[in-house]
Amino acid sequence: MSLSQLAKSIAESPTLSLNEQARLLREKGEDVIHLGAGEPKNKAPINAILTSAARLNTGDVKYTPTDGIPSLKKAIIRYTEENYDRVIAPENVLVSAGAKQVLFNLLYTLVNPQDEVIVLAPYWVSYPEMIRMVYGVPVIVTPEDGGFHPRMQDIEKSVSSYTKAIIVNSPNNPSGVMYSEKFIGEIVAFCERKGIYLIMDDIYHKLLFDGKTPISAYRFTTKDIESTKVISINGISKLYGMTGFRIGWIVAPKQIIDVMINVQGQTVSCTSVVLQAAAEGALTGLQSAVDALRLMLENNRNVMMQELNGFQGVKVTKPDGTFYCLPDFRAYNKDSVDLCKFLLKKALVVTVPGKEFGMEGHLRLSYATTVKDIKKGVERIKWALDPSSPNEIYIGERKMVRDWL
Ligand code: PMP
């Protein structure tokens, strides 16, 4: 069939495809443990439900302004003032269907064919594919010290005259690592000096542990919102565990937003007014929902660390935030795709291969699940891989015997 070469070359989202595989296995009655999830199990905050239900009840569900309803934009402006210490105008904000669509729209708006965008490994799976979708070139920068924290010297070496932007995601999906204040300060100064856009994907910025607090990149620039190279992306998916509501937003100079509005106007028009009302409800309601989610995730992180630390040969960096960690399984298998398939088949545990995040030999494990599933999941992985663990295990009603070690 004759299809676009570019479209055909875009990889399937591995996380969404694994969700589907897990769903199908569960439908067949298999006792699958999902350590691949990119969403917490909490319910949406009550105020979000009430505001969206009220909107739906009016029956008045029509197009909204392309950039979002004014009352939601007002809530985003307040959020930006409170969390980023920046006073911005409605012209600096655009609301879209999730941070994912915001980012795609932004890349479409910034990138000319052959422009390069720097992506810091380990990275979120969608960055390189989205950059390629707008005919840009993803330039992956991997810390040469083998760690998960980016280093300025590696980034500086990768910058060329084609570099248009750098994407920073801290705390980071998939490692959970939060980048240091020193690094954020240096990269802001570097981008402002070089005229490179700094795209801050702040989608997890409040899901931090051990008393850590978000770092606003705006703190490190003296430029005003219209002339800074700092662009921030955020949303309700992770902050409130409202992934299915599909609302995200961007804060950027007006000149960028103006073009993004045209792009959005010619593609999706706007996002649903019902879901925008939900986002407004979440942002203006009691923020205790965020604290409750953060505390639950911190506890889950502790359980996951405890379980993995007792796993011979597995090395793990303790996450500072998010709901992921990226343990190193190279002692068992250097091929993470192979390992992920093996664990799903033999132990019925969903993991995500590190290869997809630019870190081969690792697996991304999510602790946005129950404590019981974290414990059971790691126990099963141990059973499948570690000869020193018991030879038999029960999966559901079935007694499984390890006969491959
Ligand atoms: N950025 C990162 C780093 C993410 O992990 C995700 C979701 N997995 C997104 C953006 C997209 O979030 P949204 O649901 O708002 O599209």
Side-chain angles (χ1 to χ4, degrees):
M1 206 184 285
S2 169
L3 300 174
S4 139
Q5 292 296 334
L6 176 60
K8 273 199 296 186
S9 77
I10 301 303
E12 180 178 26
S13 158
T15 39
L16 297 185
S17 131
L18 281 160
N19 280 348
E20 185 56 12
Q21 284 181 43
R23 195 185 63 77
L24 291 173
L25 281 168
R26 278 196 181 131
E27 238 172 50
K28 279 204 248 163
E30 299 284 10
D31 177 19
V32 179
I33 292 183
H34 205 332
L35 299 183
E39 55 190 356
K41 282 188 165 321
N42 68 318
K43 294 268 190 282
I46 187 69
N47 206 45
I49 297 169
L50 292 176
T51 48
S52 50
R55 184 70 209 204
L56 197 53
N57 278 334
T58 65
D60 184 22
V61 179
K62 307 285 192 221
Y63 291 132
T64 75
T66 304
D67 51 339
I69 52 176
S71 51
L72 171 57
K73 290 183 62 170
K74 209 164 139 191
I76 292 168
I77 290 168
R78 220 182 70 198
Y79 185 88
T80 309
E81 267 180 49
E82 280 170 10
N83 293 283
Y84 292 87
D85 204 13
R86 269 282 147 149
V87 179
I88 55 165
E91 293 74 32
N92 299 120
V93 179
L94 173 105
V95 177
S96 217
K100 218 173 195 170
Q101 201 192 14
V102 170
L103 188 63
F104 181 77
N105 187 337
L106 174 68
L107 291 170
Y108 188 86
T109 298
L110 296 183
V111 174
N112 280 312
Q114 300 311 314
D115 276 352
E116 295 174 356
V117 179
I118 290 185
V119 172
L120 309 174
Y123 50 79
W124 181 44
V125 290
S126 297
Y127 296 147
E129 297 306 297
M130 283 195 198
I131 294 162
R132 292 196 313 109
M133 275 190 237
V134 298
Y135 296 92
V137 180
V139 175
I140 310 294
V141 177
T142 307
E144 276 185 19
D145 62 1
F148 295 152
H149 194 295
R151 305 179 325 156
M152 276 316 293
Q153 65 259 50
D154 300 327
I155 296 171
E156 281 170 27
K157 270 195 275 177
S158 308
V159 166
S160 78
S161 56
Y162 287 102
T163 308
K164 196 55 168 287
I166 301 178
I167 308 181
V168 169
N169 170 225
S170 168
N172 174 262
N173 175 8
S175 70
V177 167
M178 179 190 187
Y179 301 164
S180 69
E181 236 178 81
K182 179 171 176 286
F183 172 78
I184 301 292
E186 283 174 2
I187 197 151
V188 171
F190 179 76
C191 287
E192 297 285 30
R193 195 170 67 244
K194 291 269 186 186
I196 296 170
Y197 290 109
L198 179 62
I199 305 172
M200 298 298 299
D201 179 346
D202 281 347
I203 193 91
Y204 297 97
H205 80 151
K206 281 190 159 185
L207 298 182
L208 288 170
F209 314 139
D210 309 316
K212 295 194 165 71
T213 48
I215 299 169
S216 158
Y218 293 109
R219 259 179 47 207
F220 302 98
T221 179
T222 48
K223 301 208 167 147
D224 66 22
I225 192 71
E226 298 305 343
S227 49
T228 179
K229 291 287 166 187
V230 176
I231 294 171
S232 64
I233 291 179
N234 220 316
I236 58 169
S237 280
K238 316 290 170 172
L239 187 60
Y240 301 102
M242 290 172 65
T243 49
F245 287 79
R246 311 305 306 125
I247 298 288
W249 63 84
I250 182 168
V251 172
K254 177 181 178 309
Q255 277 189 349
I256 293 179
I257 299 292
D258 283 349
V259 178
M260 287 183 73
I261 291 175
N262 292 343
V263 174
Q264 181 146 298
Q266 300 288 9
T267 50
V268 290
S269 296
C270 61
T271 116
S272 163
V273 69
V274 176
L275 306 178
Q276 290 188 58
E280 186 186 336
L283 286 168
T284 54
L286 281 178
Q287 297 304 296
S288 52
V290 180
D291 286 330
L293 180 60
R294 197 176 48 72
L295 287 172
M296 188 268 285
L297 292 171
E298 182 164 351
N299 181 53
N300 286 5
R301 188 268 324 244
N302 293 342
V303 174
M304 180 65 96
M305 288 305 105
Q306 207 176 343
E307 298 301 307
L308 288 174
N309 286 335
F311 199 148
Q312 232 178 1
V314 171
K315 285 186 237 146
V316 62
T317 302
K318 190 177 175 186
D320 303 304
T322 72
F323 30 79
Y324 313 106
C325 59
L326 193 64
D328 180 346
F329 279 85
R330 279 177 290 186
Y332 292 100
N333 191 338
K334 291 189 171 51
D335 181 334
S336 59
V337 175
D338 187 54
L339 181 59
C340 169
K341 282 186 191 152
F342 173 80
L343 292 175
L344 185 57
K345 186 161 169 234
K346 296 288 189 190
L348 289 173
V349 181
V350 180
T351 58
V352 190
K355 186 169 182 239
E356 313 287 0
F357 306 96
M359 282 284 157
E360 182 53 302
H362 297 67
L363 291 179
R364 190 189 75 174
L365 304 183
S366 162
Y367 39 91
T369 178
T370 59
V371 165
K372 194 169 143 221
D373 273 5
I374 294 170
K375 287 187 171 168
K376 254 185 11 183
V378 178
E379 189 197 353
R380 283 190 198 178
I381 299 176
K382 231 188 258 182
W383 165 75
L385 298 178
D386 180 359
S388 71
S389 66
N391 200 38
E392 294 172 357
I393 199 171
Y394 276 90
I395 295 189
E397 301 287 284
R398 257 184 299 159
K399 180 158 108 178
M400 313 275 280
V401 179
R402 188 182 54 226
D403 55 9
W404 50 88
L405 289 179

